[in-house]
Amino acid sequence: ATRTKSVDVERADSGIGQMPARKWRNRASETLSSLQAWEAHRPCTDCGERDLPVETDVQNCNQRRADLCEKCRKRRMERKESVLEFVNTEASYGEDLRIIKEEFYLPMQTAGLLSQEQLLGIFSNIQELIDLNENFLEILQEEIDQAFDQGDDDLMTVCIGEIFLEFVNMLPAFQTYCLQQSSSVNMLNALEKEKELLRIFLNVSQNDNTALRRMNLRSFLMAPLQRVTKYPLLLSRIIKTTTEYHPDHGNLREAKSRIESHLEHINMKTKQEGNTWTLRSFRQDSKKKREVINIEMRETALKTVGWLREETRFVMEGSLQLAQPPDGQWVKKGSKTLKFQNMQVLLLVNMKRVSESSLESAEPGPVKDAVLVLIRDKNNGKFHLLREPLRLSNCIVSTDPDCDDTFELIEIRREAFVFRDSDRARTHHWFRQIRRYSRELGSWKKRRNALPNIMISTPHTRP
């Protein structure tokens, strides 16, 4: 009896009282209602819209809300289709390249139907395009497989724009092929009329080789041209279905701009060479013209220095004012006494490859060389070099507090140049970048921090 009474007393006096307990139950009920109300009006994870549709969970026989509104769900589906279209068409393009090599090039080479020079004239740099396609497609397929393995069925983690920018060096390879296309077709037509065995081989291949899908060699040779002009369209479709908050949105737009600029550059080069055909017409605006000019200047600079494209990095480029002082006393007289001229300047750095594959996305290696390329403004539609490139391994870069709007570059035992930009801050940025790479080259510079001293015998050295 005592135990029962104590239990009753304990139950009556344990926990919270009657009024607090009622309030707690009411508060818990309100909290549950609030959670249910929030669940009923949870925003869409993509656009933030509310009032999402209700999905039926057959397995649990109850209802749950979707995480996406109908509009965003449709957009994700369209984006997935666009991404898969990009990858699948890249694979189809690679198959056409393989057919060109294995069904035409190699048999013609083995049978001795054409000389090596004639084969090169017809097929151009087809092997380079094959290598680029294989590496590009491998990375794309790895991204797709990884997304599916991680449960990303909508492929939202696949960043086509970022991958495209990593392989932007494939665009000059397309340019080389496209510019030779007209002469390649003309050579093929002439050789087919001249060589009967070649004509028989091409006819038999088209009619009897099932891998060719009854297409002739000329149709396959057009594959790279068709592919490079399709990139802007495919990227536009992905951009249209990618929200601006997606991390790849900016990369997609930049990739589209880069490929369109290269197409414009190719069209411009074909006109300069007297060809009538063009890849594709684009709206001409000031920004696009500047991008095309930059591409042309880069091509001129690369051709001048003779470096491999994959080992070259363009650190800075733009317009600078340049003057050549007659003596080393110009600082005392002031920069106003100098005669400046506008010049296009490109700072190029040659980096050692870390691995044998030039397409691996790895950190750049040590600096092998660095140059400044000085280009005059266009005259008669062409760029002209002011002089041979200035190798920073043989130059000293310095500035003077009395002339902080300029900096001086002295080529040992040769010439001196004074540079400035219309914007003082950008002048300082040019100075820091050029000085940085000049210090990395030449053991004699490292010993004295790349500063001029009395050991340098040049008439332009400052006192």
Side-chain angles (χ1 to χ4, degrees):
T2 304
R3 187 181 302 110
T4 302
K5 184 180 291 186
S6 63
V7 171
D8 292 340
V9 172
E10 183 180 355
R11 286 182 176 178
D13 196 34
S14 62
I16 58 178
Q18 186 175 5
M19 289 298 295
R22 188 180 298 114
K23 291 181 180 179
W24 182 85
R25 284 194 296 269
N26 293 337
R27 189 171 300 171
S29 178
E30 293 174 359
T31 303
L32 180 60
S33 300
S34 299
L35 290 173
Q36 291 175 347
W38 181 87
E39 177 70 18
H41 298 282
R42 184 174 72 251
C44 171
T45 56
D46 278 7
C47 67
E49 294 285 338
R50 297 182 182 273
D51 299 328
L52 303 184
V54 177
E55 292 183 345
T56 303
D57 191 337
V58 180
Q59 183 177 359
N60 298 327
C61 298
N62 59 2
Q63 290 184 332
R64 62 182 176 88
R65 299 203 45 301
D67 293 329
L68 298 172
C69 65
E70 190 63 30
K71 182 179 178 181
C72 291
R73 182 182 303 187
K74 183 179 179 181
R75 182 191 290 120
R76 282 198 177 193
M77 185 180 302
E78 292 175 350
R79 184 183 185 278
K80 178 181 179 180
E81 292 174 354
S82 301
V83 169
L84 291 177
E85 180 186 13
F86 188 99
V87 179
N88 293 335
T89 53
E90 187 70 22
S92 300
Y93 160 66
E95 181 63 21
D96 288 342
L97 294 180
R98 187 195 63 80
I99 289 176
I100 292 175
K101 178 181 178 181
E102 297 184 2
E103 305 297 335
F104 289 105
Y105 180 87
L106 292 179
M108 292 165 66
Q109 183 185 46
T110 304
L113 297 179
L114 297 177
S115 65
Q116 192 62 36
E117 182 179 357
Q118 292 170 336
L119 289 172
L120 181 61
I122 294 175
F123 295 97
S124 187
N125 60 330
I126 195 69
Q127 184 59 52
E128 182 183 11
L129 294 176
I130 292 175
D131 296 338
L132 288 167
N133 168 262
E134 289 178 352
N135 285 273
F136 188 38
L137 186 60
E138 181 181 359
I139 298 299
L140 290 172
Q141 196 60 55
E142 286 180 359
E143 289 291 316
I144 298 293
D145 296 340
Q146 184 177 357
F148 281 131
D149 292 341
Q150 295 176 351
D152 178 19
D153 296 334
D154 294 330
L155 304 181
M156 295 299 293
T157 58
V158 177
C159 296
I160 297 293
E162 180 181 355
I163 299 174
F164 192 95
L165 291 177
E166 290 179 359
F167 284 83
V168 75
N169 278 339
M170 67 182 176
L171 298 181
F174 278 107
Q175 174 179 316
T176 300
Y177 186 90
C178 293
L179 293 179
Q180 296 183 10
Q181 178 63 18
S182 180
S183 60
S184 298
V185 173
N186 292 336
M187 178 180 289
L188 178 61
N189 293 336
L191 290 173
E192 191 173 1
K193 292 179 181 180
E194 177 185 344
K195 297 179 177 292
E196 183 179 2
L197 289 179
L198 175 63
R199 186 168 60 253
I200 294 174
F201 168 77
L202 294 177
N203 290 333
V204 171
S205 299
Q206 180 179 354
N207 296 325
D208 298 343
N209 192 339
T210 57
L212 304 187
R213 310 187 298 273
R214 300 189 68 83
M215 294 170 56
N216 57 28
L217 175 58
R218 293 173 186 82
S219 299
F220 283 100
L221 291 177
M222 291 295 294
L225 281 73
Q226 295 169 349
R227 184 58 186 172
V228 73
T229 54
K230 197 172 183 180
Y231 280 134
L233 177 61
L234 295 172
L235 291 171
S236 296
R237 291 177 182 175
I238 302 177
I239 293 172
K240 185 178 180 181
T241 56
T242 302
T243 63
E244 60 181 357
Y245 306 107
H246 194 280
D248 197 41
H249 190 268
N251 293 330
L252 287 167
R253 289 192 173 278
E254 182 181 354
K256 181 174 178 290
S257 177
R258 296 284 291 273
I259 180 63
E260 288 180 345
S261 297
H262 270 274
L263 292 178
E264 282 290 357
H265 179 63
I266 293 173
N267 287 340
M268 181 180 64
K269 296 291 287 186
T270 56
K271 291 179 181 178
Q272 291 177 356
E273 295 179 5
N275 296 324
T276 57
W277 64 273
T278 57
L279 286 176
R280 187 177 178 182
S281 60
F282 291 92
R283 181 173 57 89
Q284 291 281 355
D285 52 22
S286 58
K287 181 179 179 181
K288 191 62 61 60
K289 287 181 181 178
R290 289 198 304 270
E291 291 175 348
V292 172
I293 290 175
N294 289 344
I295 294 173
E296 189 175 0
M297 284 196 304
R298 289 186 176 192
E299 293 293 329
T300 302
L302 268 179
K303 184 178 180 180
T304 302
V305 298
W307 296 346
L308 295 176
R309 190 182 306 276
E310 58 270 17
E311 294 184 355
T312 304
R313 188 156 65 93
F314 292 87
V315 180
M316 289 191 69
E317 56 189 86
S319 178
L320 282 179
Q321 295 179 357
L322 177 145
Q324 291 184 266
D327 53 47
Q329 305 294 326
W330 68 271
V331 176
K332 294 181 180 180
K333 302 175 184 179
S335 59
K336 294 181 179 180
T337 61
L338 299 177
K339 184 178 179 180
F340 287 91
Q341 58 178 324
N342 292 326
M343 194 71 53
Q344 298 294 331
V345 182
L346 295 90
L347 173 57
L348 283 69
V349 176
N350 192 3
M351 314 293 290
K352 291 182 179 179
R353 287 187 295 180
V354 177
S355 60
E356 290 297 327
S357 174
S358 61
L359 298 175
E360 279 192 21
S361 56
E363 290 294 326
V367 178
K368 289 199 299 184
D369 203 354
V371 298
L372 275 184
V373 179
L374 309 179
I375 301 178
R376 296 181 184 273
D377 288 336
K378 294 187 70 173
N379 184 18
N380 297 327
K382 294 184 178 180
F383 288 107
H384 296 280
L385 296 175
L386 174 67
R387 62 187 306 286
E388 66 272 14
L390 291 167
R391 298 198 174 273
L392 298 187
S393 58
N394 298 325
C395 296
I396 296 172
V397 188
S398 59
T399 186
D400 194 287
D402 295 333
C403 295
D404 61 347
D405 61 337
T406 62
F407 65 91
E408 187 177 31
L409 185 145
I410 301 176
E411 192 176 17
I412 305 303
R413 296 184 178 87
R414 293 191 65 182
E415 299 176 275
F417 301 88
V418 177
F419 293 94
R420 72 180 181 185
D421 193 278
S422 55
D423 180 61
R424 182 170 300 184
R426 186 157 177 82
T427 301
H428 295 168
H429 184 55
W430 271 100
F431 167 69
R432 288 192 297 268
Q433 290 292 332
I434 296 175
R435 183 179 61 175
R436 170 194 170 189
Y437 289 104
S438 68
R439 287 178 173 178
E440 293 186 16
L441 299 168
S443 57
W444 58 276
K445 283 197 181 65
K446 295 177 183 179
R447 290 197 299 270
R448 54 184 183 76
N449 204 22
L451 295 176
N453 61 18
I454 59 176
M455 298 301 295
I456 302 173
S457 56
T458 172
H460 302 296
T461 306
R462 297 179 185 175

